[in-house]
């Protein structure tokens, strides 16, 4: 590429700052659509970085802009970045979650110590099942969701959810209902 790296944004420091703690306006000053899949940051893709923004509204706006520009949802772990946060605007973020899944993000991807996206959000015990219900609805509606796949700790996804039944009883019931509706026998609880 010679002296000029035409594939990289001009000011990567400003881009990083806009994504991680800035606004959509900040992003628009330093970003071009052709950079939607820029992968020059060790800490993640642009989409992953946007999903770490502490402001709920900006997080959704930034991620939406990147998705509009063709950000690749299969690069990195954007679902885990979104769902692994300790603060959520569930009403605004559930449609974003659905959009990333519709764009090809893997609903069954297992990340060490976090499990699948469903397990990642279920482990956020500071939130009630009622609060997280919009996320559950998006994830459980996916026809490609595999609740019986092996996950963390040598158990299936359903097995891990059942371990948390005291705090995730509604989710466990919903997961078992999904299996039954799909004609998949619900396995007995592991002892």
């Amino acid at each position: 590429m010679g002296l000029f790296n035409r594939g990289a944004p001009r000011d990567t420091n400003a881009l990083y700052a806009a994504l991680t703690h800035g606004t959509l306006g900040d992003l628009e000053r330093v970003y071009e659509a052709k950079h939607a899949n820029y992968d020059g940051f060790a800490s993640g893709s642009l989409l992953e970085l946007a999903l770490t923004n502490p402001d709920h509204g900006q997080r959704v706006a930034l991620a939406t802009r990147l998705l509009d520009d063709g950000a690749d949802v299969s690069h990195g772990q954007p679902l885990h970045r979104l769902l692994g946060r300790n603060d959520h605007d569930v009403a605004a973020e559930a449609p974003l979650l659905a959009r990333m899944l519709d764009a090809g993000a893997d609903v069954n991807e297992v990340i060490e110590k976090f499990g699948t996206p469903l397990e990642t959000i279920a482990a956020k015990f500071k939130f009630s099942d009622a609060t997280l219900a919009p996320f559950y609805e998006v994830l459980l509606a996916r026809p490609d969701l595999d609740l019986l796949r092996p996950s963390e700790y040598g158990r299936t996804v359903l097995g891990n959810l059942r371990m948390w039944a005291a705090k995730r009883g509604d989710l466990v019931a919903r997961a078992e209902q999904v299996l039954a509706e799909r004609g998949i026998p619900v396995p007995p609880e592991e002892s």
Side-chain angles (χ1 to χ4, degrees):
M1 282 212 212
L3 292 175
F4 301 101
N5 184 351
R6 291 187 177 94
R10 263 183 206 265
D11 187 346
T12 56
N13 290 332
L15 178 59
Y16 185 90
L19 291 166
T20 58
H21 59 273
T23 66
L24 182 58
D26 296 334
L27 178 69
E28 290 173 343
R29 283 190 283 283
V30 297
Y31 165 82
E32 296 176 50
K34 68 182 180 181
H35 298 130
N37 291 303
Y38 173 70
D39 65 354
F41 295 116
S43 52
S45 68
L46 299 190
L47 180 58
E48 288 178 293
L49 293 174
L51 294 170
T52 67
N53 192 298
D55 182 286
H56 307 119
Q58 293 304 319
R59 182 183 313 152
V60 172
L62 292 163
T64 298
R65 170 63 190 270
L66 293 167
L67 291 168
D68 288 347
D69 291 342
D72 183 359
V73 296
S74 66
H75 181 71
Q77 295 91 29
L79 299 181
H80 291 83
R81 290 279 181 113
L82 173 65
L83 298 173
R85 303 226 18 112
N86 288 319
D87 59 334
H88 290 284
D89 178 346
V90 177
E93 292 174 5
L96 177 61
L97 173 63
R99 184 171 179 192
M100 289 191 294
L101 288 163
D102 290 343
D106 185 358
V107 71
N108 295 306
E109 182 177 21
V110 176
I111 302 296
E112 187 177 351
K113 297 183 183 174
F114 296 98
T116 64
L118 182 59
E119 291 168 299
T120 299
I121 194 61
K124 296 298 176 183
F125 296 118
K126 74 182 261 182
F127 300 105
S128 69
D129 272 342
T131 299
L132 297 176
F135 285 143
Y136 297 166
E137 289 166 13
V138 169
L139 293 164
L140 292 171
R142 298 295 303 180
D144 51 339
L145 177 68
D146 185 354
L147 294 164
L148 301 180
R149 73 163 295 146
S151 188
E152 288 292 290
Y153 314 112
R155 293 184 291 268
T156 64
V157 174
L158 179 60
N160 283 333
L161 297 178
R162 284 175 168 168
M163 295 295 292
W164 303 327
K167 293 189 178 193
R168 293 292 177 239
D170 183 55
L171 175 58
V172 170
R174 286 174 169 216
E176 290 174 346
Q177 181 180 359
V178 165
L179 290 173
E181 289 171 356
R182 294 179 183 174
I184 300 169
V186 178
E189 291 196 34
E190 300 166 10
S191 46

